[in-house]
Amino acid sequence: MKITEQIKQPIAFEMELFEKKFRLAMSSKVALLNRITHYIVNRKGKQMRPMFVFLVAKMLNNGEVSERTYRGASVIELIHTATLVHDDVVDDSNRRRGFFSINALWKNKIAVLIGDYLLSKGLLLSIDNNDFDLLKIISVAVREMSEGELLQIEKARQLDITEDVYYEIIRQKTATLIAACCSLGAASVKPNSPEIEQMRKFGELIGMAFQIKDDLFDYGETKIGKPTGIDIKEQKMTLPLIYALNNSSKKEKAWLINSVKNHNKDKKRVKEVIAFVIEKGGLDYAESKMVEFQKEALTLLDAYPKSEFKASLTLMVNYVIERKK
């Protein structure tokens, strides 16, 4: 059995019902909208985010979920999908999960409007049901994600990124959404409880490990969703690169910055940069940091009694750093 299916086992019933509720949450009276949202729903990813919502809720609530849990999972998936649609426009990307992106098929204007529509659907789902505590969790996540993206763009222009700034970028850009999933799961069954903050921290740590794993893929030979060296081509300062920069001589540093700034489209030069980062121990360092975040996340689960939901969350944390794509 695939590891994702193993993780899903204790929440299989909830995930199936969630699919139906999610389709309903996306529906509209406009035929074009329905055609596009139907296209999106049929090309869904691994659905890690709703899985976090249900697993956390069931772990904290003796295996029970509530209607609020389903709404929380739907909201997070609507918002996450909206950000992906907008990201593809911003990055001018024609593919998403191996299929054509919305902007590739229906052009940018429609893609931006679809993203806005999904965002408003998510917000209204919470407002219409008076889930204001859930809405706050989501809204903070959206704000942080936008700030993280803009901080990354600002730093990419100057290439003056420190390790601390890098952590702040990935915390906002990636970790904040997984943190929101876990705190939503907790808030849906245990409103106003200390577990909400505990689970937010747990999700944040997983998100940090998840992003560092993504950074490592940029240096790997394995065929994953993105080609090797793409972060360098896009002048993204990732942890292996930052470590190499901080542990280089003045001359090496100048060469590295010049390579990333001015020769990032030169395949041979990009390969040289990758080799240099590996030689400087950038990958080993990033990997050790990733494991630190993973271990910290698992420690937070120690406080909870043994259950199949806790076992699945542990599997999920390990899967995040062991995945091949």
Side-chain angles (χ1 to χ4, degrees), residues 65-216:
V65 297
S66 66
E67 263 312 307
R68 269 163 56 87
T69 315
Y70 286 102
R71 290 199 293 271
S74 292
V75 168
I76 206 91
E77 197 66 353
L78 283 163
I79 305 266
H80 174 59
T81 310
T83 61
L84 293 184
V85 173
H86 281 164
D87 276 355
D88 288 340
V89 175
V90 172
D91 298 339
D92 207 9
S93 172
N94 290 325
R95 312 287 287 184
R96 166 68 63 182
R97 295 175 182 143
F99 296 98
F100 282 115
S101 58
I102 303 299
N103 49 306
L105 293 171
W106 284 282
K107 301 287 178 275
N108 282 353
K109 187 176 179 178
I110 287 178
V112 170
L113 292 169
I114 288 287
D116 292 347
Y117 172 77
L118 295 171
L119 198 60
S120 66
K121 272 285 199 183
L123 302 178
L124 283 168
L125 184 60
S126 297
I127 292 166
D128 291 345
N129 292 285
N130 293 327
D131 294 329
F132 296 111
D133 56 336
L134 305 187
L135 182 58
K136 187 174 181 186
I137 291 171
I138 295 287
S139 303
V140 168
V142 174
R143 183 197 69 204
E144 297 240 291
M145 283 156 69
S146 311
E147 282 180 358
E149 284 286 355
L150 288 163
L151 180 60
Q152 185 171 45
I153 291 166
E154 179 193 319
K155 293 297 174 186
R157 286 178 179 161
Q158 299 153 354
L159 295 187
D160 63 345
I161 205 164
T162 61
E163 203 173 312
D164 285 344
V165 171
Y166 164 82
Y167 290 134
E168 186 52 23
I169 288 171
I170 69 166
R171 186 191 67 73
Q172 291 186 313
K173 236 187 71 165
T174 306
T176 195
L177 194 64
I178 298 177
C181 296
C182 297
S183 51
L184 271 178
S188 72
V189 291
K190 295 266 177 97
N192 307 315
S193 69
E195 273 99 345
I196 298 170
E197 174 53 26
Q198 189 82 342
M199 287 296 106
R200 186 202 66 75
K201 187 72 192 145
F202 169 72
E204 185 173 282
L205 290 162
I206 299 169
M208 301 292 277
F210 183 91
Q211 186 55 55
I212 296 173
K213 180 68 174 181
D214 254 17
D215 289 357
L216 289 165

Side-chain angles (χ1 to χ4, degrees), residues 5-22:
E5 274 155 32
Q6 228 175 312
I7 295 165
K8 240 184 215 181
Q9 240 178 348
I11 50 165
F13 171 78
E14 285 80 6
M15 287 301 288
E16 210 170 303
L17 188 51
F18 161 74
E19 294 262 331
K20 293 178 184 135
K21 288 177 185 282
F22 185 60

Side-chain angles (χ1 to χ4, degrees), residues 294-321:
Q294 175 219 19
K295 284 188 173 152
E296 216 183 313
L298 289 174
T299 306
L300 285 178
L301 286 182
D302 288 347
Y304 300 97
K306 213 171 152 184
S307 70
E308 53 182 332
F309 317 111
K310 179 179 166 176
S312 270
L313 281 169
T314 305
L315 257 182
M316 188 87 117
V317 177
N318 295 331
Y319 168 70
V320 156
I321 71 163

